[in-house]
Amino acid sequence: MALTSYGPLIGAIDQGTSSTRVLIFASKTGELITYHQVNVKLIYPKEGWVEQNPNEILQSVITCLSKAVENLKALNINVADLKAIGITNQRETTILWDKLTGKPLFNAIVWLDMRTSATVNKLLANIPDNDKDVLRPQCGLPVTTYFSALKIRWLLDNVPEVKAALKEKRCLFGTVDSWLLWNLTGGVKGGKHLTDVTNASRTMLMNIHALRWDEKLCSFFDIPMSILPEIHSSSEIFGYINDGPLKDIPISGILGDQQAALVGQMCFKQGDAKNTYGTGCFLLYNTGSQPVESKHGLLTTVAYQMGKKKPVTYALEGAIAIAGACVQWLRDNLGIIKESAEIEHLANQVDGTHGCYFVPAFSGLFCPHWKPDARGIICGLTQFTNKFHISRAVLEAICFQTRELLDAMNHDSGIPLKSLQVDGGMSVNSLLMQLQADLLGISVVRPSMPETTALGAAMAAGCAEEINLWNMDPTKYPKTITDTFLPTISATERDKRFQWWKLAVERSLNWKL
Ligand code: G3P
């Protein structure tokens, strides 16, 4: 069968915290042809613990791949047109498995998990002034519960199966990309144990200047380097799918999901930035070929490296743990809504929160505070407050947290952002986007095709050497159609509300159990 007008196709596996999707793009037009989505369960075994079943994650990917293939067939498109696949994934989430049996040694410890607070304190007890920024010069990150090294340490200390597998040299570590790659390329029958620079930069074990696992960092956490995957660029052939309807298709791109969104939004120039609204919320600012060390609580991270011999690009990142997760909390814990999308309708029933502020510090507060013991609070309640005000306060909380990130970003970069490119599942909520423009005081620009994370992974896969379907020149991609939201409130009003938010955050930070 001849190629359709779409030209060769490129797929993306987008394994996020709440769901897995496989999306297929046309390389000629950049058009999204089809996709399939499966939700993935989060497990909360104890307060502060967040886990997922690695086999369920893997199975969700396999299901999405075969459903996407069925969709192609139903559209009368030849599956052989699919030339490459990229992986993008929730970052930091940590999986240890047995390389002889292929079985996970424990559940995946999800990035939101707080069980390592005591490990953090223990490690910092030996550091002058308990300085959590002690490793920033090497890895760009503060010592907190968020990153993989702490989670690996916990697994090595607490899980007998892990201890035994380590002793018998059967134990492998991977972030979700590595776990998927190893399994999709053969598993126990020769699966590739690799990762890319962006995912490796979230473990705290990679030196972000040398782009290699760092002996000093590994020895700080007492993690054996033998369990770590090999680090590669974000765009090269990592291996070939070894089974199923896509057998022999190359996996040629891997990017952490936030970095993939930066690429999908074409933020290739120094000073370009995007904010993605998913389970959490992540603002990444391209700092070019130089890593910039944050003085305001942001993270320094690898943005991408599009090929083995290509230069590396860095980013400053602001990470908020709870964004869409708070809407899920309204749905699952309070039952105020049945579907997440309903929040827009509820919040639109009122023209303000009437002084109600919601600080969703369910996993402590990430950037710029880094306070694991902060607690969620709803304050400013009166007899008049109802579910509409609370729903609106949840949306405002996401916007205020983004304002905190933007302020930190503007201070660190010295060049205030004039407009913000946005994407992610929650960005379809137009009220949220309008509130965001109002509370930032700059324009908010949303692409009409919101799947920028998957597009970024597909772009990395398509531009890999030996694939050569796409290049990274933004002028070669179709022009993105966007919606722009402009601020509608005065600077005085904006600042007044932000001061109230800060008072609420103070209370959240100082809450003592
Ligand atoms: O760092 C965690 C992040 O990668 C999770 O992204 O899209 O699942 O909120 P998301």
Side-chain angles (χ1 to χ4, degrees):
M1 212 187 299
L3 280 176
T4 62
S5 57
Y6 294 126
L9 307 179
I10 307 172
I13 296 168
D14 180 357
Q15 205 303 299
T17 315
S18 311
S19 69
T20 298
R21 272 115 59 85
V22 165
L23 305 94
I24 314 274
F25 294 94
S27 63
K28 240 183 187 172
T29 58
E31 196 180 332
L32 173 61
I33 313 270
T34 187
Y35 76 95
H36 189 79
Q37 172 168 344
V38 167
N39 289 341
V40 182
K41 266 202 302 296
L42 285 158
I43 306 163
Y44 303 97
K46 286 188 189 179
E47 197 171 279
W49 290 31
V50 189
E51 297 177 3
Q52 281 177 322
N53 178 341
N55 284 327
E56 186 189 335
I57 293 177
L58 176 62
Q59 196 47 53
S60 70
V61 170
I62 294 169
T63 304
C64 287
L65 284 171
S66 46
K67 292 281 183 194
V69 166
E70 279 174 28
N71 293 352
L72 285 182
K73 287 183 184 156
L75 291 167
N76 219 7
I77 296 174
N78 191 349
V79 179
D81 292 356
L82 191 61
K83 300 298 181 199
I85 290 202
I87 298 178
T88 180
N89 55 289
Q90 52 169 317
R91 307 161 306 164
E92 302 95 16
T93 296
T94 296
I95 303 174
L96 296 184
W97 69 95
D98 183 325
K99 69 176 170 193
L100 299 184
T101 65
K103 290 196 181 133
L105 295 161
F106 197 74
N107 268 344
I109 302 190
V110 175
W111 58 279
L112 286 163
D113 189 285
M114 303 277 295
R115 78 187 63 190
T116 54
S117 302
T119 318
V120 168
N121 293 340
K122 205 166 125 199
L123 286 166
L124 292 181
N126 306 321
I127 304 296
D129 301 329
N130 306 132
D131 178 12
K132 59 177 176 299
D133 292 328
V134 60
L135 303 178
R136 270 191 190 265
Q138 290 81 39
C139 66
L141 310 170
V143 182
T144 74
T145 58
Y146 182 20
F147 305 107
S148 311
L150 281 302
K151 301 178 198 301
I152 303 175
R153 185 67 257 147
W154 187 92
L155 288 162
L156 295 174
D157 287 341
N158 292 284
V159 181
E161 290 80 355
V162 170
K163 289 182 193 174
L166 186 69
K167 207 162 147 209
E168 292 159 23
K169 302 196 182 340
R170 293 182 279 113
C171 178
L172 296 182
F173 154 76
T175 37
V176 170
D177 56 310
S178 281
W179 166 246
L180 294 177
L181 181 75
W182 188 81
N183 278 288
L184 293 175
T185 56
V188 290
K189 292 186 231 131
K192 303 283 183 196
H193 188 216
L194 315 174
T195 189
D196 90 303
V197 279
T198 66
N199 277 293
S201 76
R202 314 297 295 188
T203 58
M204 294 203 83
L205 300 174
M206 187 182 83
N207 183 307
I208 55 168
H209 310 279
L211 306 180
R212 281 199 296 271
W213 300 123
D214 185 296
E215 275 177 28
K216 287 204 183 104
L217 292 172
C218 291
S219 89
F220 180 88
F221 294 103
D222 196 13
I223 291 174
M225 290 172 100
S226 58
I227 68 171
L228 305 177
E230 212 173 276
I231 303 173
H232 285 241
S233 77
S234 312
S235 177
E236 57 185 85
I237 297 182
F238 288 83
Y240 295 83
I241 295 190
N242 135 292
D243 203 7
L246 298 177
K247 189 167 181 323
D248 296 333
I249 297 206
I251 296 176
S252 50
I254 296 185
L255 284 160
D257 56 5
Q258 302 311 320
Q259 285 87 341
L262 192 76
V263 170
Q265 287 262 27
M266 320 273 167
C267 293
F268 297 139
K269 290 196 308 293
Q270 190 177 343
D272 285 349
K274 68 86 207 177
N275 197 26
T276 302
Y277 301 77
T279 307
C281 193
F282 303 88
L283 178 52
L284 267 73
Y285 179 102
N286 182 328
T287 62
S289 57
Q290 293 307 319
V292 172
E293 201 173 311
S294 175
K295 301 277 175 274
H296 298 90
L298 301 175
L299 311 171
T300 306
T301 202
V302 175
Y304 52 84
Q305 185 193 20
M306 290 301 177
K308 286 182 209 177
K309 297 192 186 108
K310 295 282 166 57
V312 63
T313 298
Y314 293 91
L316 272 173
E317 172 174 325
I320 296 167
I322 303 293
C326 193
V327 180
Q328 289 167 357
W329 183 83
L330 288 187
R331 184 194 64 196
D332 301 338
N333 295 36
L334 295 194
I336 287 181
I337 47 176
K338 284 205 178 67
E339 301 291 336
S340 295
E342 287 170 29
I343 191 169
E344 183 171 7
H345 177 69
L346 258 67
N348 247 328
Q349 302 309 303
V350 286
D351 59 4
T353 67
H354 282 267
C356 173
Y357 287 79
F358 192 147
V359 184
F362 299 158
S363 290
L365 284 173
F366 280 19
C367 292
H369 308 284
W370 296 114
K371 288 281 188 231
D373 47 1
R375 284 291 173 272
I377 57 162
I378 306 176
C379 56
L381 301 179
T382 68
Q383 186 77 41
F384 183 71
T385 312
N386 60 30
K387 62 182 177 181
F388 304 135
H389 301 110
I390 292 180
S391 300
R392 201 170 174 107
V394 165
L395 298 186
E396 287 197 356
I398 297 168
C399 301
F400 284 126
Q401 292 185 92
T402 299
R403 160 85 192 255
E404 291 181 326
L405 298 185
L406 192 80
D407 286 356
M409 202 71 82
N410 287 344
H411 281 118
D412 271 338
S413 70
I415 309 163
L417 264 193
K418 293 201 180 70
S419 90
L420 184 66
Q421 286 176 241
V422 297
D423 55 43
M426 276 200 89
S427 69
V428 299
N429 183 328
S430 294
L431 174 62
L432 174 68
M433 296 298 101
Q434 185 55 55
L435 290 170
Q436 187 67 88
D438 287 345
L439 295 173
L440 291 181
I442 59 174
S443 56
V444 166
V445 181
R446 177 178 68 183
S448 59
M449 202 292 286
E451 304 298 347
T452 42
T453 300
L455 179 63
M459 286 164 70
C463 81
E465 215 178 311
E466 298 174 57
I467 304 287
N468 301 324
L469 286 176
W470 273 346
N471 65 34
M472 299 308 280
D473 176 355
T475 60
K476 297 280 187 300
Y477 292 92
K479 192 148 176 42
T480 321
I481 304 161
T482 54
D483 299 317
T484 301
F485 298 84
L486 299 171
T488 56
I489 63 172
S490 69
T492 318
E493 170 69 9
R494 175 161 43 250
D495 290 344
K496 188 180 81 190
R497 280 157 71 179
F498 191 51
Q499 292 314 317
W500 279 100
W501 162 261
K502 284 191 184 164
L503 285 176
V505 169
E506 274 305 304
R507 283 165 173 73
S508 160
L509 292 173
N510 294 312
W511 186 261
K512 294 273 183 290
L513 288 177

